[in-house]
Amino acid sequence: MTSVVTPATEPPTEPGDEAVVRRRTGRWIEHWDPEDPDFWESSGRQVARRNLVWSIFAEHLGFSVWLLWSVSAAMLARAGFDFSAQQLFFLVAVPNLVGSLLRLPYTFAVPTFGGRNWTMISAALLVVPTVLFVIVVQRPDTPYWAFVVIAATAGFGGGNFSSSMTNINYFYPTRLKGSALGLNAAGGNIGVALIQFFLPIIVGAGGAFGAIKAADAINLQRVGYLYAVLAVIGAVAAYLFMNNLASASGKPRETLAVARYKHTWIMSLLYIGTFGSFIGYSAAMPLLIKINFFRSPIPTESIGINFVYYAFLGALVGSLTRPFGGWLADRVGGARVTLGCFLAMIVGTLGVFYSLTLLDPVPVPAPEQIAAWTADPASFPGFSPEITAAVNHNSDIFPWFLGLFLFVFAATGIANGSTYKMIPHIFKAQAQNATTAGTDERRAAEARAVKEGSAALGIIGAAGAMGGFLIPITFGSPWVGDPVEACKAAFMVFAAYYVLCSVVTWSVYRRPGATMAEAGV
């Protein structure tokens, strides 16, 4: 193992950190070889674990801020804002679009600035969307376009995923990448579930399955203040406890070189189906429940299923199953797990579609009538027998809808973990197929494969996040007049996409005789 001399004036900061050297720009590790068993057991494991913990924390905050609008959008009517279903679906989709576009530059940032340094910057950037959120939700006269612009800044949180995953990929040996990346991603993903669970409670809308009752008024700004403080804590924690790896250095041109490989784009297609589904469904679920199972013509009167009790469950299930997908892929192969998940997603999505076909149409009062009731709540006559009967019938269908949807979420979570296991394995297999074992050429190719795999994680992650934009947009299709019918049509589109992904996964990574199948990807 190559030794590194640490200057006597600046001793290692922690036991086991003998590879850490300080520079003006922060703590750097000059030598890092996790594939060396002696290095890994003597010091590598401890340092990697510490960086993983604080990476998870920062990424967790990023995901929470990224999905801040997913729940808030469904509460804007109660806060005094009047937006249509299509406008609300677009509002929750915009952060996903921006987050997907930011994932490429965030991937470049790790080799350019260092993983620790960029974690500090990216965590601090979360102050921007949270403070703007505080301002805008307290002004009912704010125009819709301003909401869209401010929601777009929440995309900063979506970019965090790529930089975090790229960074952690460098820290762990190939045999543990599936589990490490799965834990890192799950820690971030669960930020979606927590923001969807705690936001209603924090702002006074109630929650915890009805155990916490709603207040007379909601205060959406509270959650903005909270996450602005947490963002500052995340930046300080990265400064104190994380490291940069000199071996992770590179240039954007080198990173973009992986765009020449067909597997980068094949895995992007698949990751749109896995992670894109997870983040898209998570963003849309509060509105899906509200549109299909809930009626509240005025803020003080409601009937049906309250979305604040259940909206977080999908993201929670998808987050908890992600590390299991990485663990399982480490043992039986990523492609095998991914294919099984796509088949499960086809079945589950068709089941969700079928549950929606069982719903009864709910009569909708005229807009002018709703406006009159809102202006004078005392004039509201109560829910008609027709509305009550339809909503009660639909509430009886809700357990089937929820159970099938959670099944889809579980499959997306497992597939997220398994696909991220496949990516570094694919690049290592390419390096081994092109070189001879035991040669310097093989060693150089494998070292290059680690960098290429990390770069591919960023590009594939960016493509996958685009699904988080496309799914809410499809649910809110402006070309379908009835929001309920738009939801049903969307699920059929998604099922067809999963069929395509299943065919591609089998033909490229599981078909007997395929190069990657023989490599055990």
Side-chain angles (χ1 to χ4, degrees):
M1 182 177 70
T2 303
S3 61
V4 176
V5 179
T6 305
T9 56
E10 300 195 37
T13 58
E14 298 182 22
D17 277 7
E18 67 272 9
V20 175
V21 179
R22 289 186 182 270
R23 295 178 175 177
R24 284 189 308 165
T25 54
R27 293 198 313 181
W28 286 80
I29 297 179
E30 294 293 342
H31 170 75
W32 189 258
D33 186 10
E35 302 293 347
D36 179 348
D38 293 335
F39 174 87
W40 181 251
E41 294 300 328
S42 64
S43 61
R45 182 194 302 273
Q46 179 180 341
V47 177
R49 184 177 297 155
R50 172 164 45 77
N51 278 270
L52 175 61
V53 167
W54 293 107
S55 174
I56 288 173
F57 179 69
E59 189 189 341
H60 173 89
L61 296 179
F63 266 90
S64 294
V65 172
W66 194 19
L67 272 292
L68 180 63
W69 289 95
S70 68
V71 186
S72 303
M75 297 182 180
L76 289 177
R78 190 174 172 190
F81 299 92
D82 184 20
F83 299 140
S84 69
Q86 285 80 13
Q87 286 177 315
L88 292 175
F89 272 121
F90 186 75
L91 192 63
V92 302
V94 165
N96 294 333
L97 173 63
V98 176
S100 67
L101 296 177
L102 286 179
R103 285 187 167 195
L104 274 180
Y106 271 55
T107 299
F108 302 152
V110 171
T112 302
F113 300 103
R116 165 186 176 262
N117 295 346
W118 187 251
T119 303
M120 292 163 49
I121 296 170
S122 60
L125 282 173
L126 299 179
V127 174
V128 175
T130 50
V131 170
L132 290 176
F133 179 89
V134 168
I135 295 171
V136 73
V137 297
Q138 298 183 81
R139 300 173 182 269
D141 59 339
T142 304
Y144 177 72
W145 67 263
F147 270 86
V148 173
V149 172
I150 291 171
T153 65
F156 288 149
N160 283 10
F161 176 82
S162 281
S163 56
S164 179
M165 294 293 277
T166 298
N167 185 41
I168 293 304
N169 185 57
Y170 284 109
F171 275 94
Y172 279 82
T174 301
R175 62 186 175 85
L176 298 177
K177 286 184 188 293
S179 299
L181 294 174
L183 284 171
N184 190 56
N189 291 172
I190 206 168
V192 180
L194 291 187
I195 193 72
Q196 292 180 334
F197 178 81
F198 283 110
L199 186 148
I201 297 172
I202 293 168
V203 304
F209 302 106
I212 299 176
K213 301 301 181 183
D216 293 336
I218 62 173
N219 297 280
L220 287 171
Q221 67 272 18
R222 292 176 185 170
V223 75
Y225 284 125
L226 173 62
Y227 275 90
V229 173
L230 290 174
V232 174
I233 293 174
V236 172
Y239 171 80
L240 294 174
F241 303 118
M242 294 184 71
N243 300 102
N244 301 306
L245 295 181
S247 59
S249 62
K251 299 178 181 179
R253 181 180 297 179
E254 297 172 349
T255 302
L256 283 174
V258 300
R260 299 175 302 178
Y261 302 139
K262 68 175 183 180
H263 291 289
T264 301
W265 300 110
I266 293 173
M267 291 304 300
S268 294
L269 174 77
L270 302 184
Y271 203 57
I272 289 173
T274 61
F275 179 77
S277 295
F278 167 80
I279 201 67
Y281 290 150
S282 296
M285 194 169 184
L287 286 172
L288 285 175
I289 296 175
K290 185 176 182 180
I291 288 171
N292 290 285
F293 301 97
F294 185 75
R295 286 296 180 272
S296 181
I298 59 175
T300 56
E301 298 290 340
S302 62
I303 187 174
I305 303 297
N306 192 335
F307 72 91
V308 302
Y309 300 164
Y310 304 99
F312 74 98
L313 288 174
L316 178 64
V317 169
S319 302
L320 294 179
T321 55
R322 179 158 190 161
F324 175 71
W327 175 86
L328 189 62
D330 282 339
R331 283 151 182 79
V332 303
R336 179 178 298 176
V337 177
T338 300
L339 178 57
C341 288
F342 276 127
L343 296 176
M345 290 163 67
I346 294 169
V347 174
T349 304
L350 291 176
V352 173
F353 166 79
Y354 178 70
S355 72
L356 293 178
T357 65
L358 301 177
L359 301 182
D360 284 347
V362 180
V364 180
E368 56 272 18
Q369 183 65 73
I370 295 176
W373 292 336
T374 302
D376 180 16
S379 67
F380 179 64
F383 293 99
S384 68
E386 293 80 10
I387 292 178
T388 301
V391 172
N392 287 342
H393 168 79
N394 295 346
S395 296
D396 291 337
I397 304 298
F398 179 73
W400 292 101
F401 167 86
L402 181 63
L404 290 163
F405 212 172
L406 294 183
F407 176 77
V408 174
F409 268 105
T412 66
I414 295 172
N416 285 339
S418 62
T419 50
Y420 258 55
K421 164 63 178 180
M422 292 171 64
I423 295 164
H425 197 161
I426 288 169
F427 282 88
K428 185 175 182 179
Q430 287 187 148
Q432 291 176 340
N433 290 338
T435 57
T436 303
T439 63
D440 291 339
E441 183 185 16
R442 165 66 65 85
R443 285 186 286 272
E446 289 182 339
R448 186 170 60 253
V450 174
K451 290 189 175 184
E452 291 179 336
S454 292
L457 289 174
I459 293 175
I460 294 166
M466 189 60 71
F469 172 73
L470 297 174
I471 284 179
I473 289 297
T474 307
F475 280 131
S477 302
W479 52 87
V480 181
D482 183 357
V484 175
E485 290 301 316
C487 293
K488 290 191 288 189
F491 280 111
M492 291 301 294
V493 173
F494 304 146
Y497 189 82
Y498 302 147
V499 171
L500 172 64
C501 291
S502 299
V503 172
V504 171
T505 303
W506 179 84
S507 62
V508 179
Y509 300 112
R510 288 295 300 160
R511 177 177 51 83
T515 302
M516 289 298 159
E518 294 178 349
V521 169

